[in-house]
Amino acid sequence: MTESQTQTLLRQFETLLLIRACEEQLVELNRQGAPDTCSSIGQEACAVGVIDALEARDRILTNHRSAAHLIARGAEPERIFAEVLGRIDGYCGGRSGTLHIAARELGIVLTSTIVGGELSLAPGVALAQKMGHGDPGAITAVFFGDGAACEGIFHEALNLAALWQLPLLFVCENNQWQAYVHRLETMADAAITAWAEGHGIATQSVDGNDIEAVHSAAKSAVAAIRADGRPQFLELRTYRLRGHSGQDDQAYVNADELRYWRSRDPLLLLRQRLSEAGGLDAHTFAALQHDAHTRIEQAVAFAQASPWPDAASLTEQVYA
Amino acid sequence: MTRMTTEQALTQALHEEMRRDERVLLMGEGAATKRPALAREFGPARVRNTPLAEAIIAGTAVGAAASGLRPVIDLLFAPCLTYAMDALVNSAGKLRYLSGGLCEFPLVTLAMTGSGWCVGGQHNHNLEAMFVHAPGLHVLMPSTAADSKGLLKAAIRDENPVLFFIDLGLLHQEGEVSDDPGDIVPIGKAAVPRHGRDVTLVSYAKTVPVCLQAAAELEQRGVSAEVIDLRSLKPLDTTCVLDSIARTGRLIIVHEASGLCGIAAELAALAVTRAFDALRAPVVRVTGPDAPAASSWALEQAAVPQAQQVVDAVLGLGLTGGHGGAAGEPAWRARA
Ligand SMILES: Cc1ncc(C[n+]2csc(CCOP(=O)(O)OP(=O)(O)O)c2C)c(N)n1
Ligand SMILES: [Mg+2]
């Protein structure tokens, strides 16, 4: 590993730690009575690997499981926590709460918690780019789950993007679960990429817990889109290490499967990789982890001190 | 009678009806995972986890209903219904009529909605009036555990497509529920949980307890309020509402859904067209705003009618108590 590769991985590792600390804190706040959140614990490498392959000019759409995407894109944890707690300093002034956080200043332009909503909107965002609204050469990336691939709108979006040659990167975080249903109860094992290929879209399927694999697949997909303007499809095979949301006890999850994927925790894998390359000793690891937790503690304090929205603003912003 | 939550009452209704009629099946995202006892008793053919695909879940239910099955589908949250709208509105609601009465669609669609969980407008949208507006559908939205069980059983036995809305805010509230599998609550019959002389408060779902609380406060002030729980939004129990207006002369309608073109507007029209002579004051609506539900607790709660608002609305009619007559100059008359 070259020195610059090590530095890149180390920076990515810091982001993974920050996301993990954020998600764990959100679970803890929910245990204490704050709203439910859908945590991306176990899927952090997908967010960081892909978003690191994008540029500031690119646009992103996401869904209900968005904290990792937001932080990977540089969102301030302060404003994420404020949003989840429904306070005015949140990215959406508390109106969104955890489920629909958009941060347009970061290029995270639309977030839908209606499963498949993000897929329905992404072709339009890419169409606007293609028609000159946006920075030249910019592309759109849409994050969605394996469950969203079951909605009819998935096929409608893929067909249109292929037909109209839209600069759109489809990123399916296949975390094996669709709320309380295992995906193998809803689709054939290799269905997702086969469906994408059926629409004539170039596809890669990689280990979503291996950040290097994700990053390199994303880089090549992004380069291809910028070169020929056609959509690309990434399936990231990963695992939702926690329940669907909040305090879900995962009683319905197969224990062996969970154990297997815990042993493949993306943070664990990257830490091992960095240690082997001599880029991360125990002391540095402890320091990084401490930094992440401190940052999150500050964010929570900020959010808890942030005011509630004024009830008089209830009907503002409904219409233009 | 057994004490149980609304959620338990709904599951019990499913158990009893699936035992009674082997044509009944349950489908939905996680339907089997969330109701494991049902899945154990009736097996994977009758309790099905589906792909996450509301349009085809509903479409399949409509096709199956026309072909001898009696599906119950759980579409989780009311906003997800928009994906299923085509099958429910265009097919289930219209094809009986458009085929000249050749087919029936005995199916029930379950969906949760309402404030209390800070989930925001894409999970919380009281859109029941949209379905009332669509011909051919029945629409139910109970407020108690007992009615939830009795009405779900009636819905499963109904020959019409039924939209069954479950108020998220009431899901874990307990009540006494009948143990008799033969007991049902008839569709189209309102309940009158409190009788009164001076004013009629009509509501459904979570604002029924709000009205009951308001009525208790009004009693302290010498105003006697009658509370009607519609339970069924279509068909609507117009007889019950009109009888009450004939006695009280005053109508206030309360619901969490937006007021625009809603149930309250329909009841106001009913009052002025069918009970104009009985009215002694303008009809008043206390409803949610024309805005999506915000997630923030502060805004979410600000959108829900509160008991104090209902009390104020009643007092605004000039009621000061005791005799059912207006004493002094009513606020609405001063404004007019
Ligand atoms: C149309 C619609 N149906 C159902 C839901 C409830 N719901 C929220 S997330 C979810 C599971 C989504 O699974 P997947 O797309 O794989 O994403 P993941 O949660 O695994 O990230 C469900 C069923 C919803 N929000 N929208
Ligand atoms: Mg999933």
Side-chain angles (χ1 to χ4, degrees), chain A residues 245-264:
Chain A
S245 72
Q247 308 302 309
D248 172 4
D249 62 6
Q250 294 176 289
Y252 51 88
V253 173
N254 178 291
D256 289 335
E257 184 178 89
L258 187 57
R259 208 170 308 120
Y260 168 74
W261 283 96
R262 277 199 182 129
S263 75
R264 304 199 66 259

Side-chain angles (χ1 to χ4, degrees), chain A residues 43 65 145-148 173-179 183 240:
Chain A
Q43 303 173 221
R65 211 174 289 286
D146 47 295
E173 283 183 44
N174 176 359
N175 65 4
Q176 316 300 324
W177 286 98
Q178 306 170 359
R183 78 172 181 98
R240 194 191 74 197

Side-chain angles (χ1 to χ4, degrees), chain B residues 190-209:
Chain B
V192 186
R194 185 180 177 115
H195 293 276
R197 294 179 312 275
D198 301 334
V199 60
T200 302
L201 306 177
V202 181
S203 189
Y204 59 92
K206 78 154 58 62
T207 44
V208 172

Side-chain angles (χ1 to χ4, degrees), chain B residues 92 133 146 168 219 284 306:
Chain B
H133 199 70
L168 268 173
E219 189 177 29
V284 176
Q306 308 289 336

Side-chain angles (χ1 to χ4, degrees), chain A residues 1-315:
Chain A
M1 204 187 291
T2 67
E3 176 58 24
S4 103
Q5 279 170 329
T6 310
Q7 285 312 313
T8 301
L9 285 182
L10 206 52
R11 188 176 45 71
Q12 290 176 338
F13 187 61
E14 284 180 61
T15 311
L16 295 188
L17 285 174
L18 188 62
I19 296 169
R20 180 66 58 95
C22 172
E23 295 285 27
E24 284 174 345
Q25 186 61 50
L26 286 167
V27 172
E28 174 55 23
L29 289 176
N30 169 247
R31 207 182 51 76
Q32 296 168 17
D36 236 6
T37 60
C38 295
S39 92
S40 63
I41 289 175
Q43 303 173 221
E44 297 92 338
C46 301
V48 177
V50 172
I51 289 177
D52 250 16
L54 299 172
E55 295 175 15
R57 61 183 162 161
D58 298 326
R59 293 290 168 260
I60 295 170
L61 293 92
T62 173
N63 60 9
H64 55 285
R65 211 174 289 286
S66 65
H69 307 136
L70 286 157
I71 291 181
R73 189 66 169 181
E76 295 167 41
E78 285 75 5
R79 298 185 63 195
I80 294 177
F81 281 99
E83 190 57 51
V84 172
L85 297 184
R87 310 304 175 90
I88 57 170
D89 292 306
Y91 275 102
C92 309
R95 277 166 161 59
S96 161
T98 178
L99 287 172
H100 347 61
I101 307 178
R104 289 188 78 92
E105 66 218 74
L106 302 172
I108 300 187
V109 290
L110 292 165
T111 303
S112 171
T113 183
I114 293 294
V115 173
E118 68 297 269
L119 282 163
S120 78
L121 306 170
V125 175
L127 177 65
Q129 287 171 323
K130 185 181 168 99
M131 294 182 69
H133 294 263
D135 296 326
I139 72 159
T140 295
V142 57
F143 288 91
F144 58 96
D146 47 295
C150 290
E151 296 279 3
I153 197 73
F154 168 84
H155 295 282
E156 300 176 39
L158 264 64
N159 180 44
L160 197 76
L163 192 70
W164 287 4
Q165 302 188 6
L166 300 176
L168 182 52
L169 176 62
F170 291 95
V171 185
C172 181
E173 283 183 44
N174 176 359
N175 65 4
Q176 316 300 324
W177 286 98
Q178 306 170 359
Y180 311 102
V181 181
H182 197 281
R183 78 172 181 98
L184 293 181
E185 228 183 306
T186 74
M187 57 169 64
D189 195 0
I192 298 174
T193 47
W195 288 335
E197 280 155 17
H199 287 286
I201 297 180
T203 301
Q204 301 175 74
S205 177
V206 301
D207 178 354
N209 288 17
D210 175 348
I211 195 159
E212 290 169 282
V214 173
H215 191 51
S216 100
K219 276 201 298 201
S220 77
V222 169
I225 300 171
R226 289 206 215 280
D228 69 7
R230 290 168 194 269
Q232 292 267 329
F233 193 100
L234 279 184
E235 181 194 20
L236 308 177
R237 301 186 309 273
T238 181
Y239 201 77
R240 194 191 74 197
L241 284 180
R242 282 194 53 87
H244 172 56
S245 72
Q247 308 302 309
D248 172 4
D249 62 6
Q250 294 176 289
Y252 51 88
V253 173
N254 178 291
D256 289 335
E257 184 178 89
L258 187 57
R259 208 170 308 120
Y260 168 74
W261 283 96
R262 277 199 182 129
S263 75
R264 304 199 66 259
D265 183 323
L267 274 72
L268 214 61
L269 296 187
L270 183 53
R271 188 181 163 192
Q272 271 163 9
R273 177 95 171 96
L274 276 165
S275 305
E276 281 159 20
L280 182 67
D281 57 30
H283 177 73
T284 316
F285 172 70
L288 292 180
Q289 204 166 34
H290 180 261
D291 289 351
H293 284 120
T294 308
R295 180 73 210 278
I296 294 303
E297 275 164 30
Q298 285 166 1
V300 172
F302 170 88
Q304 286 173 337
S306 172
W308 292 98
D310 183 356
S313 71
L314 184 62
T315 55

